DNA sequence: AATCCAAGAGCG
DNA sequence: AATCCGCTCTTG
């Protein structure tokens, strides 16, 4: 309800299935809880823009999801130019920041009413064979300085070595940010668990958000060909490719993981496929003031 | 023999080309240079004590090599208890320091007349499945404090992850030594080049001695089943398993790589096999006083 | 004491 | 624009 006043999104065509509920007490409580304005909501999603089959319906559903969840920050991978154009034109409440202008690329979407863009930059992976990079946005969220990053790291098993190079770059870049910044990375890492072990595990000061939340089984596999048949693979494969890393600020308010859920689990009406071969990861964070932090 | 007085046995030519040129009688100078008492000589060798075939002849030849080259420091891997007993009883000029007392293990031999043992210790690899460890000796060489290390790191391809754990431990331990110590690691690392790349390459301050010497082809492969048929493998495989790492002291005299050559290239008279399936690496180092060091 | 390499094909 | 997993086995 109060939704309208703040962040209603314009859409050209609407098959409005997911309307915000009206005034039932329980629903309103729920809505209030879900819409806690102090929480930061972030969605990361590889939308498989390289798969052009059923792209219209899939893109339409993607927009529905974005409007439904209206995350404060959206991190997308495998965006292609036509999709980028639509995002820019349709998602008026968002600032759309592309990671490149050719082939396929990443994008950061910032909900203008909640997140102010201060600066953006790109870190190159010097040895990528797939034109991948690390896209960064310095923003202000409720007055707190925040650094947001996304990347679509080198794909496929044989590129393990390059992928691990990129992982080191990501972690190093996160650790180099100013101490008063919380730093959130989200993206399609293409990581296998053994590759993280291979790097000696998570470095000091960086956590894997899914692990911090207790490794919930229901959002472990973000690329799940057991359930998701978009790729029609003849074997069962499920991996946790999409991950979120967090480096908390060393002073000031700290961002802490609060919840995580998969997005995109519904088959589309027409083609009966899914929005992407990846699930999206919708994550909420709470801001913890310094006073609540554990004393040393 | 004339050996008695000190250390007058000849060595193989060392691979370095940067000889300081003199203008005098050749043979005597050469001999003097080769036996330069200011140089540190070090041999590292996996002697394949797990292969019991022809062990008597192979051990006998090993002793010959040690006596011939009389290195200041010897780092051995795959020593077994009976071999250890012989080394201790026969090599009177050496202090023999074992890395364990069961199964097969490493050993550090220190030439008493040149190298004084100050202290020794062992660093455990917490997750080794093969009882491997890192054996260390703190010594004094010509009055300079020196830390010498050896290890036989986790073997075989499938143990890559554990091996990389161990590599990080080795490098970390080397870097943690006092700044006035030169630190030399030598051993059978079982490393593939891509595993080093996987760790982001050599860390700041540590060099690979073979690389520092310009990657001489004639001592690249220390496990060379093309030439060495001790294992009678039905395929050609050659790898640089045995490596030396150096962390120079940050103050005082610095140890610098001077030359490197393979050892054990001759077939034994009787069995016509080699001393080990690995070649040994005989390496010389020079001490560079602070005054000769590159200014910052 | 045995093993041991690396790249590629075929399978579920 | 086409890929995509991980395991075992075979081959040189």
């Amino acid at each position: 309800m109060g939704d309208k006043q703040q962040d209603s999104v314009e859409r050209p065509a609407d098959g409005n299935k997911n309307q915000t509920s009206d005034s039932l007490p329980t629903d309103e409580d729920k809505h209030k809880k879900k819409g806690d304005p102090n929480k930061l909501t972030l969605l990361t999603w590889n939308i498989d823009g390289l798969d052009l089959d059923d792209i219209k319906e899939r893109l339409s559903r993607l927009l529905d999801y974005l409007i439904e969840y209206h995350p404060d920050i959206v991190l997308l991978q495998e965006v292609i130019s036509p999709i980028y154009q639509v995002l820019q034109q349709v998602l008026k409440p968002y600032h759309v920041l592309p990671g490149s202008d050719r082939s396929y690329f990443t994008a950061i979407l910032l909900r203008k009413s909640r997140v102010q863009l201060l600066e953006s930059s790109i870190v190159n992976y010097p040895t990528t064979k797939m034109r991948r990079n690390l896209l960064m946005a310095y923003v202000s969220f409720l007055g707190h300085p925040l650094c947001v990053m996304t990347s679509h790291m080198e794909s496929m098993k044989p590129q393990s070595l390059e992928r691990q190079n990129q992982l080191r770059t990501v972690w190093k870049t996160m650790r180099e940010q100013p101490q008063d910044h919380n730093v959130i990375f989200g993206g399609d890492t293409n990581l296998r668990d053994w590759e993280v072990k291979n790097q000696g595990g998570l470095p000091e000061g960086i956590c894997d958000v899914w692990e911090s939340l207790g490794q919930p089984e229901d959002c472990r596999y973000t690329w799940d060909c057991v359930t998701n048949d978009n790729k029609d693979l003849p074997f069962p494969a499920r991996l946790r490719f999409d991950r979120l890393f967090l480096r908390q600020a060393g002073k000031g308010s700290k961002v802490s993981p609060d919840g995580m859920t998969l997005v995109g689990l519904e088959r589309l009406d027409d083609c009966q496929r899914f929005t992407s071969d990846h699930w999206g990861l919708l994550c909420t964070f709470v801001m913890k003031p310094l006073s609540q932090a554990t004393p040393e």
Side-chain angles (χ1 to χ4, degrees), chain A:
Chain A
M1 302 291 320
D3 196 29
K4 167 121 347 115
Q5 153 221 1
Q6 209 182 344
D7 294 324
S8 73
V9 180
E10 322 174 33
R11 296 242 15 245
D14 58 329
N16 35 344
K17 344 175 161 185
N18 301 306
Q19 287 185 318
T20 55
S21 58
D22 23 22
S23 46
L24 291 167
T26 41
D27 268 333
E28 188 156 344
D29 278 351
K30 235 189 252 173
H31 180 270
K32 194 169 180 185
K33 182 171 178 15
K34 284 189 181 172
D36 185 342
N38 291 314
K39 287 191 182 174
L40 172 71
T41 58
L42 183 150
L43 171 66
T44 180
W45 202 349
N46 179 328
I47 58 172
D48 199 11
L50 293 179
D51 176 5
L52 298 182
D53 295 344
D54 314 299
I55 188 65
K56 277 195 69 172
E57 192 183 4
R58 289 168 44 227
L59 175 54
S60 171
R61 190 71 179 91
L62 169 66
L63 294 169
D64 289 342
Y65 280 125
L66 294 180
I67 291 161
E68 177 184 355
Y69 297 125
H70 56 277
D72 299 316
I73 296 169
V74 181
L75 310 173
L76 299 179
Q77 302 86 42
E78 286 198 39
V79 178
I80 58 175
S81 206
I83 296 181
Y84 169 67
Q85 305 296 339
V86 172
L87 294 173
Q88 256 205 328
Q89 286 162 24
V90 173
L91 297 179
K92 295 300 185 195
Y94 286 93
H95 217 109
V96 185
L97 208 66
S100 168
D101 59 357
R102 36 198 291 194
S103 190
Y104 59 98
F105 46 89
T106 61
I108 296 180
L109 282 63
L110 304 171
R111 191 165 190 87
K112 294 172 190 166
S113 61
R114 304 260 297 162
V115 181
Q116 287 75 51
L117 175 64
L118 302 177
E119 203 182 321
S120 72
S121 68
I122 286 176
V123 172
N124 291 316
Y125 298 137
T127 47
T128 178
K129 298 289 184 298
M130 300 179 175
R131 300 178 174 278
R132 307 296 171 84
N133 62 22
L134 176 60
L135 176 62
M136 305 168 57
Y138 296 92
V139 307
S140 172
F141 173 73
L142 303 181
H144 305 291
L146 179 68
C147 177
V148 188
M149 307 178 176
T150 190
S151 185
H152 179 198
M153 288 163 58
E154 212 84 348
S155 306
M156 293 180 279
K157 175 89 180 302
Q159 281 64 48
S160 178
L161 201 146
E162 171 60 18
R163 182 164 46 250
Q164 288 175 71
N165 283 341
Q166 296 174 3
L167 179 60
R168 283 193 305 276
T169 297
V170 168
W171 284 345
K172 180 159 183 287
T173 306
M174 292 182 74
R175 291 164 59 115
E176 284 170 356
Q177 299 312 313
Q179 273 301 305
D180 62 346
H181 282 57
N182 289 282
V183 185
I184 302 175
F185 167 94
D188 177 2
T189 65
N190 278 302
L191 282 169
R192 282 69 170 165
D193 289 338
W194 59 266
E195 294 173 322
V196 175
K197 280 192 198 137
N198 224 330
Q199 295 304 314
L202 292 158
E204 180 75 24
I206 292 183
C207 75
D208 179 300
V209 172
W210 175 78
E211 290 178 0
S212 297
L213 290 169
Q215 312 197 345
E217 274 306 312
D218 65 1
C219 54
R220 176 190 287 263
Y221 301 109
T222 63
W223 187 74
D224 181 355
C225 297
V226 176
T227 305
N228 185 316
D229 52 10
N230 269 29
K231 290 293 179 228
D232 203 23
L233 297 186
F235 47 80
R238 16 165 67 175
L239 285 154
R240 192 167 72 94
F241 278 158
D242 302 274
R243 302 187 183 204
L244 289 153
F245 298 125
L246 170 64
R247 199 237 32 201
Q248 286 188 325
K251 49 186 174 188
S253 296
K254 293 190 202 304
V255 159
S256 289
D258 176 65
M260 183 183 276
T261 184
L262 297 180
V263 169
L265 300 172
E266 296 158 328
R267 285 188 193 273
L268 307 192
D269 288 332
D270 202 3
C271 66
Q272 283 296 305
R273 299 173 74 223
F274 295 95
T275 304
S276 167
D277 63 327
H278 289 244
W279 309 135
L281 275 179
L282 180 61
C283 192
T284 59
F285 296 90
V286 290
M287 305 298 305
K288 294 193 175 172
L290 185 55
S291 57
Q292 293 181 15
T294 312
E296 299 172 41

